[in-house]
Amino acid sequence: MQEKEEKNKSSSSEETIVISDVAQLRGSLPLAQLRNEEAIFFQLIEDGGVTEVEKFLTANRELDVNCVNYKGETALHIAVKEENEDMVKLLLKRPEIEIKDTILLATETGNVELTRTIMEAIKKEYPEVEMKGCEESPNYSPDITPILLAAQKGDYKMVRMFLERGHRIEEPHSPNCLCPKCKAILRQAGSSQSRIRLNSYNALCNPAYTCQVTDDPILYGFLMDAQLSECALMDKEFRSEYVELGKKVRKFLVSLLSECRNPSEIETLLKLPGGFDVEHERSLFPRLQLAIDYHQKEFVAHSMVQQVLTAHWLGEFRSWPRLPLHWKCLHVLVRILLLPVICFALIIVPEVKFLKKYHSPLNRYLMSLASFLFFLFLIFLLNYLDTGRNKRGPPNTGMEVIVVIYVMGFIWSTARRYWAEGARRFFLVVWNWYDIALESFFVLTFFFWVRSMIDVVSEHIQKKKAMERKFWPSNDSTLLHEGFLAIATVLTFGKLAYYCLQSSRLGPLQVSLGKMAIQIGYFLCLCMLINSSFAIPLTRMYAYYDGMTQTNAKGETRTQLSSFSNIPNSFFTLFWGMLGMSPVESTEVVVENLTTDKKNPVINYHHFTQGIGLTLFATYELMMIIALVNTLIAILSNTFQNIIDNADVEFKFARTKLWVHFFDDSTRIPSPFNLFPTLHSFNSCLKYFWAATHQIPGAAAKWSFRRCCYIEYKDRGAVDEQAYGVLMSSIVQRYFRTKELEE
């Protein structure tokens, strides 16, 4: 045992010798070393005795008060850390004292009076220093200003003090901005510009700063979240930070909603027109529409917001959610039967007490659903009764005129929606694109109905015998209108998914399918790239052999398949091969006989070309089926799971967009009855002409290309903003009170 201990001691002593030798070879770090009087000075500063420090400085006049210890701290730094205001005042009286980053250090302590003391001390000689960062600070980057640091920490009182002194945080420009100022910053800061931008947004998005620089923190939060999303796309190195910051902004907006005491306050928030880029009189809840435009899903799906929207959605039909499913179906069926009666009553006498319940958005939705179901029935009859017809010309089922009128109503409804929402908002909605496609295919169908009718009439005039279908050319008008009608029929039945958004069971599934369709679109783009990489060389190899026929000695004939004869065929072959529907024989090379002697044919085989083609096709199959298709399945599963995990928010957001559409008065009467002028529109015209010819206090008749004739109420916006300002001030106070209690 003693021998082992001696060996261990000797080995440890050898290790220490080696370590010391290495230390001597490497040298030591150049850390600051204090002299004896400087060490005493630092000790007195830490003890906090102002009188002792003053006496010591009087006795040691040659002492450098800006001396630095091994931590890089001066005496002023230590005094600020200790929040010793008297000591700070004493040190600031020294003319040779260097402020450096002590303002930032004082800001970080949260002591407002101490920070104000330091800034007042340097205000006379260096008034611009207090608003800038410190170039020589070892702890803070040069772009960190005092107010920016206070905002990042969420210190409400400190931020307020800085704002009172005129400090401001400059909002950074977009990452893709190329203005002269951004170019200058880019030349000076280089890649650090992204970090500077992130630091600024960390401060700008803090509630302690937001609530003191704007009287509309909700609109401010919408704009900030949109800018953060843009930065996340451009500054990819800080994408996760921007995404997390965006979540905090949305959480703050939701917290403001949670501080509302009743639905009436929520309704006041939603009706504020500020920030709405189109005339807000057309929208019942402008702020809600703005939240939808900025994809504020958590804001829209908030329980109190949904409570207000549900009350307006149901109107007087509050018993609808409690009805069993069979009663709801029966109710829609009765609506279909009474549709003409109800619609004409709404056109002629809309203000009758019995009809006022049909003005609610839910009843508009049910009327629209009933009208669309009847249109589906017409399309079904049109296709069913026209099945098996071999004569040229348009169908002759008796449904054609009604279908044309219905589609004209759909087109008019889409046009009014475009007129009310504006081009930008209209084209951002996927279902609007769907409606345009649906109506376009119906218009093409009607056009070729007319063309086919003209063809039949011209044949009758020229007394030509009607040809059978097998003799028709491929571009015959009858064939074209049948094809376009088939596409329009598919799209019409697919439109039922739009009405399924109202269902709490089918709605989340429809949202999931929409999200997965986006992923499938990305996958198809990748497939096109891979198909191109294989289709081009395969076409180059096989194009020469197109149409070649080979006959062996037994008289058996083989013909070269046209699978890779040209670029389109190659694309189709590879696409169907991805689904396992392309034959393996597609890669065989057939070389025609070298002689015309059928008894002793001379046959050549291009085995190398066939081998390369088979290898490429097999590689493509392995890559697509095993790798990419399974990857797509995994992505779709992940997308579906993410939506299911957040199903409540996703479904409520999608359903709210449906509700907002039926909040508009233009949906009061469904197609095709919306083609008739209503008494409501007639009264609106009378009011406009009355306002145009008479002076009405607070109202003026105006005209614009987007809104045509309308009446503008001058004082309405001011009253709304005043009520909103009072309410928002109260909500912000509750928010900070709740936050203080939580802390």
Side-chain angles (χ1 to χ4, degrees):
M1 293 291 293
Q2 293 178 356
E3 293 178 358
K4 291 182 179 180
E5 291 177 358
E6 291 176 359
K7 289 181 180 180
N8 292 334
K9 289 180 180 179
S10 61
S11 62
S12 62
S13 62
E14 291 176 358
E15 290 177 0
T16 54
I17 293 172
V18 172
I19 292 173
S20 63
D21 293 340
V22 172
Q24 290 178 0
L25 290 173
R26 292 181 177 176
S28 58
L29 294 173
L31 298 178
Q33 295 183 359
L34 298 175
R35 297 194 301 272
N36 186 32
E37 62 274 10
E38 292 175 345
I40 297 173
F41 175 60
F42 270 89
Q43 186 62 46
L44 292 174
I45 294 292
E46 292 177 359
D47 293 341
V50 179
T51 306
E52 289 77 4
V53 172
E54 187 174 6
K55 291 180 180 179
F56 184 80
L57 291 175
T58 304
N60 299 271
R61 295 184 179 276
E62 296 181 358
L63 178 68
D64 183 12
V65 293
N66 296 314
C67 58
V68 180
N69 63 7
Y70 72 97
K71 297 180 181 178
E73 299 174 339
T74 65
L76 186 58
H77 284 98
I78 297 175
V80 171
K81 275 188 175 181
E82 298 293 334
E83 299 184 35
N84 192 336
E85 188 173 350
D86 295 332
M87 185 70 72
V88 171
K89 290 180 179 179
L90 174 64
L91 294 174
L92 290 175
K93 292 178 181 178
R94 307 284 295 189
E96 71 274 18
I97 195 71
E98 295 179 359
I99 303 298
K100 293 185 178 180
D101 60 352
T102 50
I103 297 180
L104 298 175
L105 187 61
T107 302
E108 193 168 7
T109 62
N111 192 322
V112 178
E113 294 301 325
L114 179 63
T115 308
R116 184 183 285 111
T117 299
I118 299 175
M119 289 190 296
E120 290 294 336
I122 64 173
K123 182 178 180 180
K124 297 179 180 179
E125 298 183 5
Y126 310 102
E128 73 283 354
V129 172
E130 65 171 276
M131 297 186 183
K132 296 182 179 180
C134 182
E135 296 286 344
E136 302 175 357
S137 174
N139 300 317
Y140 308 99
S141 58
D143 62 291
I144 300 296
T145 60
I147 188 173
L148 191 141
L149 181 61
Q152 287 182 352
K153 293 180 63 63
D155 193 332
Y156 184 89
K157 295 180 180 179
M158 188 71 72
V159 171
R160 182 174 60 184
M161 186 268 293
F162 283 127
L163 291 174
E164 290 173 352
R165 297 181 66 88
H167 292 228
R168 290 294 184 275
I169 300 176
E170 185 177 357
E171 186 174 320
H173 292 196
S174 172
N176 55 0
C177 179
L178 296 176
C179 67
K181 184 177 181 180
C182 289
K183 290 181 179 179
I185 295 175
L186 185 61
R187 285 193 297 267
Q188 182 180 0
S191 59
S192 301
Q193 187 182 18
S194 299
R195 170 62 69 178
I196 295 173
R197 185 182 297 108
L198 178 61
N199 288 336
S200 298
Y201 277 115
N202 271 320
L204 289 169
C205 297
N206 195 287
Y209 181 82
T210 298
C211 295
Q212 297 190 72
V213 297
T214 177
D215 56 355
D216 192 354
I218 293 180
L219 177 60
Y220 183 92
F222 289 169
L223 298 175
M224 281 293 110
D225 188 41
Q227 294 180 25
L228 292 173
S229 300
E230 183 182 1
C231 292
L233 293 175
M234 300 298 297
D235 294 339
K236 297 185 183 301
E237 60 272 20
F238 296 115
R239 183 178 182 276
S240 58
E241 287 84 351
Y242 280 117
V243 171
E244 188 64 28
L245 192 56
K247 291 180 180 178
K248 292 180 181 178
V249 172
R250 293 191 293 273
K251 184 179 179 181
F252 165 65
L253 298 177
V254 172
S255 300
L256 292 179
L257 292 178
S258 301
E259 296 300 331
C260 293
R261 296 169 296 184
N262 49 58
S264 62
E265 292 186 349
I266 292 288
E267 190 168 346
T268 303
L269 295 181
L270 298 181
K271 287 186 175 180
L272 183 75
F276 206 55
D277 62 343
V278 297
E279 292 80 355
H280 58 271
E281 285 84 355
R282 284 188 177 273
S283 178
L284 181 61
F285 298 111
R287 184 52 54 90
L288 174 68
Q289 182 62 61
L290 199 64
I292 293 174
D293 293 342
Y294 283 102
H295 299 282
Q296 297 294 320
K297 298 182 180 180
E298 294 85 355
F299 183 93
V300 174
H302 191 273
S303 57
M304 295 191 70
V305 173
Q306 291 294 310
Q307 183 181 3
V308 172
L309 296 180
T310 302
H312 282 272
W313 170 256
L314 297 176
E316 298 180 2
F317 203 174
R318 298 183 180 89
S319 60
W320 174 261
R322 299 173 181 82
L323 294 177
L325 181 60
H326 62 277
W327 278 106
K328 291 181 179 180
C329 295
L330 181 61
H331 190 90
V332 174
L333 180 61
V334 173
R335 291 282 182 113
I336 295 175
L337 299 176
L338 298 178
L339 186 64
V341 178
I342 298 174
C343 289
F344 279 115
L346 288 172
I347 292 173
I348 300 172
V349 284
E351 300 301 326
V352 175
K353 185 176 181 181
F354 173 76
L355 295 174
K356 283 188 176 181
K357 67 177 182 179
Y358 290 99
H359 296 175
S360 67
L362 173 60
N363 279 286
R364 297 175 188 173
Y365 165 80
L366 294 176
M367 295 291 290
S368 176
L369 177 60
S371 176
F372 189 77
L373 290 176
F374 183 71
F375 179 68
L376 280 180
F377 180 69
L378 291 177
I379 295 298
F380 167 75
L381 288 180
L382 180 63
N383 284 272
Y384 178 76
L385 297 177
D386 196 52
T387 302
R389 189 173 63 89
N390 293 322
K391 294 182 179 180
R392 300 174 71 185
N396 188 22
T397 62
M399 307 293 173
E400 293 77 20
V401 176
I402 305 177
V403 171
V404 170
I405 296 174
Y406 249 104
V407 173
M408 290 175 61
F410 290 147
I411 294 174
W412 173 241
S413 178
T414 303
R416 291 191 65 180
R417 199 181 316 147
Y418 174 84
W419 195 285
E421 297 177 358
R424 186 184 64 85
R425 181 173 289 109
F426 177 83
F427 288 113
L428 285 176
V429 179
V430 178
W431 281 110
N432 289 338
W433 286 98
Y434 191 96
D435 289 339
I436 292 174
L438 172 64
E439 294 154 10
S440 299
F441 280 110
F442 270 115
V443 170
L444 289 173
T445 302
F446 302 154
F447 174 77
F448 285 105
W449 278 359
V450 176
R451 282 286 303 272
S452 61
M453 184 185 300
I454 295 174
D455 292 342
V456 172
V457 172
S458 62
E459 284 187 358
H460 179 71
I461 293 174
Q462 297 176 10
K463 297 182 179 180
K464 291 183 179 180
K465 184 178 180 181
M467 296 183 295
E468 295 184 15
R469 179 180 287 262
K470 62 183 179 181
F471 297 108
W472 297 353
S474 60
N475 61 345
D476 187 82
S477 299
T478 303
L479 297 178
L480 292 177
H481 79 62
E482 288 178 352
F484 287 125
L485 181 60
I487 299 175
T489 302
V490 173
L491 293 177
T492 303
F493 279 87
K495 184 66 185 293
L496 281 175
Y498 175 74
Y499 292 94
C500 292
L501 284 172
Q502 172 62 19
S503 172
S504 59
R505 293 179 176 86
L506 297 177
L509 180 60
Q510 193 269 341
V511 174
S512 302
L513 291 175
K515 297 290 184 181
M516 288 189 288
I518 298 175
Q519 300 297 331
I520 293 174
Y522 292 147
F523 174 77
L524 292 178
C525 292
L526 182 59
C527 285
M528 287 295 296
L529 294 176
I530 297 176
N531 278 9
S532 300
S533 63
F534 282 90
I536 294 172
L538 285 172
T539 303
R540 172 66 181 81
M541 293 170 57
Y542 284 85
Y544 172 77
Y545 307 100
D546 184 30
M548 286 190 176
T549 303
Q550 182 185 101
T551 305
N552 58 16
K554 298 180 181 180
E556 298 175 349
T557 302
R558 295 171 57 207
T559 303
Q560 176 68 45
L561 297 179
S562 60
S563 301
F564 301 107
S565 59
N566 50 53
I567 294 293
N569 286 353
S570 298
F571 270 105
F572 283 115
T573 302
L574 293 174
F575 177 79
W576 292 115
M578 178 181 65
L579 304 177
M581 300 178 64
S582 292
V584 182
E585 294 80 7
S586 301
T587 58
E588 291 184 357
V589 176
V590 177
V591 183
E592 63 183 2
N593 296 10
L594 301 182
T595 62
T596 57
D597 188 1
K598 296 183 179 180
K599 295 183 179 180
N600 298 308
V602 179
I603 300 175
N604 189 14
Y605 297 95
H606 288 182
H607 295 293
F608 181 78
T609 301
Q610 182 172 325
I612 294 297
L614 183 61
T615 303
L616 290 177
F617 191 62
T619 304
Y620 172 83
E621 291 289 317
L622 291 173
M623 182 183 297
M624 296 299 297
I625 296 177
I626 296 178
L628 289 182
V629 173
N630 286 296
T631 302
L632 175 64
I633 294 172
I635 292 174
L636 295 181
S637 300
N638 185 50
T639 302
F640 182 78
Q641 189 61 44
N642 290 337
I643 294 174
I644 292 300
D645 294 339
N646 202 24
D648 185 62
V649 174
E650 293 286 349
F651 165 63
K652 287 180 179 177
F653 183 75
R655 185 183 64 179
T656 302
K657 290 192 289 186
L658 171 69
W659 287 2
V660 168
H661 170 62
F662 287 98
F663 285 162
D664 191 7
D665 287 337
S666 62
T667 60
R668 181 176 297 180
I669 300 174
S671 176
F673 304 97
N674 60 346
L675 296 174
F676 295 94
T678 63
L679 184 62
H680 176 75
S681 60
F682 182 71
N683 289 336
S684 299
C685 292
L686 289 179
K687 290 180 181 178
Y688 173 79
F689 287 113
W690 180 264
T693 55
H694 297 76
Q695 292 184 355
I696 301 177
K702 291 192 174 183
W703 184 91
S704 68
F705 179 76
R706 177 177 292 176
R707 296 186 57 197
C708 192
C709 303
Y710 67 98
I711 300 176
E712 183 182 54
Y713 296 94
K714 299 178 181 179
D715 298 332
R716 181 182 300 176
V719 173
D720 292 342
E721 291 182 3
Q722 183 178 3
Y724 176 83
V726 174
L727 174 60
M728 184 51 64
S729 177
S730 176
I731 291 174
V732 170
Q733 291 174 4
R734 296 175 213 158
Y735 167 78
F736 282 109
R737 190 183 305 119
T738 303
K739 187 177 179 181
E740 184 178 357
L741 292 175
E742 291 177 352
E743 293 177 352

